[in-house]
Amino acid sequence: MAQPKAMTKVLIYGGKTGWIGGLMNDLCKEKGIEVYNSEIRIENRADVEAELEKIKPSHVLMSAGITGRPNIDWCEDHKPETIRTNVIGTLNVADLTYLKGIHCTVYATGCIFKYDEAHPLGSGIGFKEEDKPNFDGSFYSKTKGYMEPMLATYSNCMILRVRMPISDDLIHRSFVTKIAKYEKVVNIPNSMTILTEMLPASLAMAQKGLTGVYNFTNPGVISHNEVLDLFKKYIDPTFEYSNFSVEEQAKILKADRSNNELDATKLLRDMPEGIVINDIKTAFDLCFQRMKVNLEKSGVLPDNLPPEFKSKVNGATGKPVTKTAP
């Protein structure tokens, strides 16, 4: 743990156009913290150094990175671009903040693991912070798996393993939005990150001066079907969905997907006093309750849910499955 420093001025990489960075920008403003969004590209080391010298932040929040659009399959065909930001750029920020004695929070990923013999699906045995990545089925995850041990050598850095992040709306980056639009989904329990609970926690952790790697997910796991059942309960009672296997999913993807459970013991142990982190199923239920209120206020509910969220069953016709009589 680094020596705690008053959070007087925050510089966010990824705050101008990024999802998590933008949410952190709003959060800092709500808390009355002076905050700046980076104006440069992080792969340009000289520009990063000049900006740090100009702003002189007490803390840096590093959420810039390439995940690909519409998903990580993009990275398979854009490997140099992925390396330039996710490896070179991230190391530039980590190294320069280290040299200048600035605490740096890196919003990284927990999608560097997959269930294995020591961590079987459904066992409740999660991967811990000291475990080495065992998943490199996508180029995105491969670069992140390489990066984590290097970032962990910097004594000023706190590396947060975010997984399948979810917000209280239907923004395109949210895990809920993605799977609600899919024709079919796999049904595998996973650790996930409810941003409304976890992002304020990350700010408190940075203020406390915590460093090193943290599994940054709500405790426990939840399956795709459980999430979509909540979507049906709170957002669209007419919603239907269907499943397919991991093997069937692999046929339509360029890269494999990570499925795992992360152990939250260290996170809960070191969490600053007064910060409440709910288990994932409780957190998800509360998230959907907030989402329903937000969508009602914006006029999306009850009658203006975009058509892409309608059921994708019976060959993507959106018609309910016809049940045959016994």
Side-chain angles (χ1 to χ4, degrees), residues 6-183:
M7 185 175 281
T8 56
K9 190 185 296 185
V10 171
L11 174 61
I12 302 177
Y13 291 97
K16 194 172 182 180
T17 58
W19 178 34
I20 289 179
L23 292 173
M24 292 307 300
N25 176 68
D26 293 342
L27 186 59
C28 286
K29 288 180 177 178
E30 288 173 14
K31 293 186 175 297
I33 300 169
E34 188 177 355
V35 60
Y36 296 85
N37 290 320
S38 174
E39 299 285 345
I40 55 91
R41 300 193 65 81
I42 57 175
E43 59 263 38
N44 299 324
R45 184 181 174 92
D47 291 346
V48 175
E49 184 167 22
E51 190 171 55
L52 288 170
E53 278 298 314
K54 176 183 176 183
I55 294 175
K56 299 188 184 306
S58 62
H59 293 74
V60 161
L61 305 179
M62 169 57 189
S63 63
I66 287 180
T67 56
R69 298 291 176 87
N71 54 48
I72 61 170
D73 282 348
W74 181 92
C75 300
E76 301 299 313
D77 299 322
H78 300 82
K79 293 179 179 179
E81 296 96 320
T82 303
I83 291 172
R84 204 169 292 127
T85 299
N86 292 358
V87 178
I88 298 170
T90 303
L91 283 175
N92 280 339
V93 174
D95 189 53
L96 287 166
T97 53
Y98 170 76
L99 291 173
K100 296 178 183 299
I102 302 168
H103 186 280
C104 180
T105 299
V106 180
Y107 295 91
T109 184
C111 293
I112 53 177
F113 297 100
K114 63 180 179 180
Y115 289 115
D116 60 16
E117 289 184 3
H119 310 83
L121 174 66
S123 67
I125 302 171
F127 289 92
K128 296 184 177 180
E129 283 77 3
E130 60 269 22
D131 289 327
K132 294 181 179 179
N134 70 346
F135 176 76
D136 61 358
S138 69
F139 189 72
Y140 169 81
S141 290
K142 185 179 291 187
T143 62
K144 294 292 187 174
Y146 289 154
M147 282 296 300
E148 186 180 271
M150 288 188 280
L151 289 171
T153 64
Y154 288 99
S155 59
N156 65 312
C157 285
M158 177 172 66
I159 302 102
L160 304 179
R161 291 174 176 168
V162 177
R163 288 209 77 234
M164 299 175 169
I166 302 100
S167 54
D168 299 350
D169 52 28
L170 292 176
I171 189 171
H172 65 282
R173 303 296 297 276
S174 175
F175 174 76
V176 169
T177 304
K178 290 178 181 179
I179 66 169
K181 292 180 178 181
Y182 289 161
E183 181 178 338

Side-chain angles (χ1 to χ4, degrees), residues 184 186 243-253:
K184 293 183 178 181
V186 294
N243 294 125
F244 63 164
S245 67
V246 173
E247 292 74 23
E248 290 171 318
Q249 181 194 48
K251 294 177 182 178
I252 65 170
L253 299 175

